């Protein structure tokens, strides 16, 4: 006598008992289940999480297997764990129509490590499986190509610019169009044009995340950018000294003024691990980034130590996240990326919920 076929509705019912650990909503309502197939006692389906490299993936997978395993008649589960990053911004005409999320990386002050954080966090997202672009919008001192060890220039195809592919991300930078040592002077309308070109004339294609490495401060580029495209939000980088913290406050206020949410704060050069004795030295004092984040009511994303490997990697075009992925700083960049991905996913879902509530 053959067993009764497994009931699809019962499978979905069982899956409804599993909640996304960050969104606290069941995974069926979130549309995460795809390609459900039932053949005899074998059940096959895909669970698409909202962030790639989600650290809670194993937990979700376990709960899904347990829930489906309890459905009468199920003998085998063929489960694929995937990710589909949701779109947080409206598609904007011909500028980056296929980019799901845009994250600007800024700071109040120069030299605090925006480019280092942009490069390594973008690479950490790519290593987790996301499709990633990095736009070096520091038109005054672009150095992402150097930090990534890029020597080639982008190709032009049918009057559009192909970004350079490096370590699995797409890169575009003003550095590709400047001669060495040539200063750039930008005025308002030119800047507007350049930003539009960087977005619209570059073949970014489909991206889960586009990171934008900003010049320091609260100047024209930041404002222009927020006028040209919708931004998912901004990440602010600071060092722990009081002077840097004062400036990060200004940067946060500026982003708020132009309705760009601050997604989080990273404290860079947070402390030094003495290479000789291993003691933790707090060169610039410590903990100010976390306190500022609390004061502004924004998430704190992490503390990156002052590390010789990070500095050398930047100078030599060997980013630690790719070239030394097991190092302390690389693991911290990975954690920052995971936190940021979760924050974006939660914000996007909350926005969607609010829109739905407003419609009904
Ligand atoms: N955690 C770190 N440990 C050691 N060196 C670091 C660290 N972060 C950044 N640096 C070094 O500090 C210098 C400045 O960093 P970076 O260029 O990333 O800052 P920035 O904020 O982008 O600067 P700018 O304002 O000029 O754009 C670089 O030489 C970089 O390699
Ligand atoms: Mg920089």
């Amino acid at each position: 006598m053959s067993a009764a076929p497994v009931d699809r509705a019962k499978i979905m019912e069982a899956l409804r008992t599993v909640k996304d650990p960050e969104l606290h909503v069941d995974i069926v309502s979130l549309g995460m289940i795809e390609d459900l197939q039932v053949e005899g006692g074998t059940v096959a389906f895909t669970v698409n999480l909202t962030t790639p490299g989600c650290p809670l993936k194993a937990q979700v997978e376990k709960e899904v297997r347990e829930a489906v395993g309890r459905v009468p008649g199920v003998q085998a589960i063929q489960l694929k764990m995937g990710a589909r990053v949701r779109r947080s911004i409206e598609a904007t005409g011909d500028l980056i129509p296929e980019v799901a999320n845009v994250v600007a990386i800024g700071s109040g002050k120069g030299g605090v490590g925006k480019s280092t954080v942009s490069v390594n966090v973008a690479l950490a997202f790519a290593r987790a499986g996301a499709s990633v672009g990095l736009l070096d919008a520091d038109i005054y001192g672009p150095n992402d190509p150097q930090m990534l060890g890029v020597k080639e220039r982008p190709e032009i195809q049918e009057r559009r610019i192909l970004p350079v592919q490096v370590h699995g991300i797409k890169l575009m930078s003003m550095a590709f169009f400047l001669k060495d040592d040539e200063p750039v002077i930008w005025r308002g309308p030119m800047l507007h044009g350049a930003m539009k070109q960087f977005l619209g004339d570059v073949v970014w294609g489909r991206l889960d995340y586009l990171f934008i490495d900003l010049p320091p401060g609260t100047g024209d580029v930041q404002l222009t950018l927020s006028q040209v495209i919708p931004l998912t939000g901004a990440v602010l980088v600071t060092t722990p000294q009081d002077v840097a913290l004062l400036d990060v406050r200004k940067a946060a206020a500026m982003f708020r003024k132009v309705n760009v949410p601050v997604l989080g704060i990273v404290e860079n050069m947070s402390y030094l691990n003495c290479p000789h004795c291993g003691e933790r030295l707090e060169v610039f004092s410590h903990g100010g980034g976390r306190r500022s984040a609390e004061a502004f009511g924004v998430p704190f994303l992490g503390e990156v130590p002052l590390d010789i490997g990070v500095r050398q990697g930047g100078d030599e075009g060997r980013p630690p996240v790719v070239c030394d992925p097991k190092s302390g700083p690389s693991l911290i960049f990975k954690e920052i990326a995971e936190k940021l991905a979760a924050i974006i996913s939660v914000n996007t879902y909350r926005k969607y919920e609010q829109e739905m509530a407003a419609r009904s």
Side-chain angles (χ1 to χ4, degrees):
M1 199 181 81
S2 65
V6 176
D7 186 347
R8 284 175 72 92
K10 287 241 157 56
I11 300 287
M12 291 307 268
E13 207 176 289
L15 287 168
R16 270 187 200 281
T17 64
V18 181
K19 287 189 173 165
D20 179 280
E22 257 136 13
L23 303 177
H24 309 294
V25 175
D26 79 83
I27 60 175
V28 175
S29 301
L30 289 170
M32 288 182 176
I33 310 301
E34 269 177 32
D35 304 329
L36 173 62
Q37 284 177 20
V38 180
E39 258 188 57
T42 302
V43 182
F45 57 96
T46 302
V47 176
N48 275 321
L49 301 177
T50 57
T51 63
C54 173
L56 303 167
K57 185 156 90 181
Q59 181 191 330
V60 177
E61 178 169 353
K62 182 167 164 274
E63 287 179 22
V64 164
R65 284 187 184 278
E66 281 170 3
V68 174
R70 282 196 290 267
V71 176
V74 171
Q75 286 159 350
I77 301 169
Q78 289 172 0
L79 170 58
K80 253 197 242 158
M81 295 297 291
R84 175 160 313 129
V85 176
R86 311 291 166 98
R87 172 180 276 279
S88 66
I89 50 170
E90 314 269 321
T92 43
D94 51 351
L95 295 179
I96 54 168
E98 297 173 283
V99 176
N101 297 282
V102 182
V103 179
I105 314 239
S107 72
K109 239 171 95 67
V112 295
K114 283 176 302 300
S115 300
T116 305
V117 169
S118 302
V119 161
N120 284 287
V121 167
L123 291 171
F125 268 79
R127 280 174 70 88
S131 47
V132 173
L134 173 61
L135 169 58
D136 180 3
D138 188 348
I139 51 174
Y140 306 103
N143 41 28
D144 292 356
Q146 190 198 339
M147 284 190 172
L148 282 156
V150 170
K151 301 267 183 324
E152 67 266 45
R153 308 243 148 173
E155 285 175 34
I156 311 283
Q157 213 175 60
E158 290 169 14
R159 310 185 74 186
R160 297 191 76 207
I161 312 166
L162 298 183
V164 171
Q165 297 269 359
V166 53
H167 299 306
I169 67 175
K170 291 179 179 167
L171 171 70
M172 183 48 54
S173 170
M174 183 48 80
F176 295 137
F177 306 102
L178 298 175
K179 294 195 194 90
D180 287 346
D181 309 326
E182 187 182 10
V184 194
I185 300 159
W186 295 94
R187 307 206 192 282
M190 246 171 99
L191 191 61
H192 208 268
M195 283 298 129
K196 273 195 142 160
Q197 237 183 338
F198 261 166
L199 293 158
D201 291 354
V202 174
V203 188
W204 290 108
R206 201 191 66 74
L207 291 182
D208 294 326
Y209 304 93
L210 174 63
F211 292 94
I212 305 190
D213 178 10
L214 291 170
T218 52
D220 286 350
V221 174
Q222 288 78 352
L223 290 176
T224 305
L225 191 65
S226 63
Q227 289 161 355
V228 173
I229 43 159
L231 296 170
T232 304
V235 168
L236 298 179
V237 181
T238 184
T239 49
Q241 310 92 306
D242 285 346
V243 282
L245 293 167
L246 275 176
D247 287 329
V248 85
R249 211 171 278 260
K250 276 190 218 149
M254 178 213 54
F255 280 115
R256 290 219 164 125
K257 220 176 200 165
V258 292
N259 286 322
V260 174
V262 176
L263 300 169
I265 292 182
V266 173
E267 184 174 287
N268 188 29
M269 311 193 199
S270 194
Y271 54 90
L272 170 77
N273 288 326
C274 172
H276 304 295
C277 64
E279 194 192 340
R280 182 170 161 141
L281 304 172
E282 301 194 337
V283 185
F284 302 127
S285 85
H286 163 248
R290 187 183 289 277
R291 281 196 298 280
S292 297
E294 274 164 20
F296 307 149
V298 300
F300 185 64
L301 296 173
E303 295 169 350
V304 182
L306 185 62
D307 181 275
I308 291 180
V310 171
R311 204 273 305 146
Q312 270 174 348
D315 280 355
E316 293 166 7
R318 292 174 45 78
V321 162
V322 170
C323 298
D324 192 6
K326 295 222 157 58
S327 69
S330 297
L331 297 176
I332 290 169
F333 284 124
K334 180 170 175 266
E335 261 175 49
I336 290 173
E338 286 168 356
K339 263 196 202 166
L340 180 58
I343 289 165
I344 294 172
S345 156
V346 171
N347 284 2
T348 305
Y349 187 70
R350 296 286 168 255
K351 207 167 114 191
Y352 164 80
E353 268 186 334
Q354 282 167 5
E355 281 166 12
M356 286 297 141
R359 267 189 224 171
S360 61

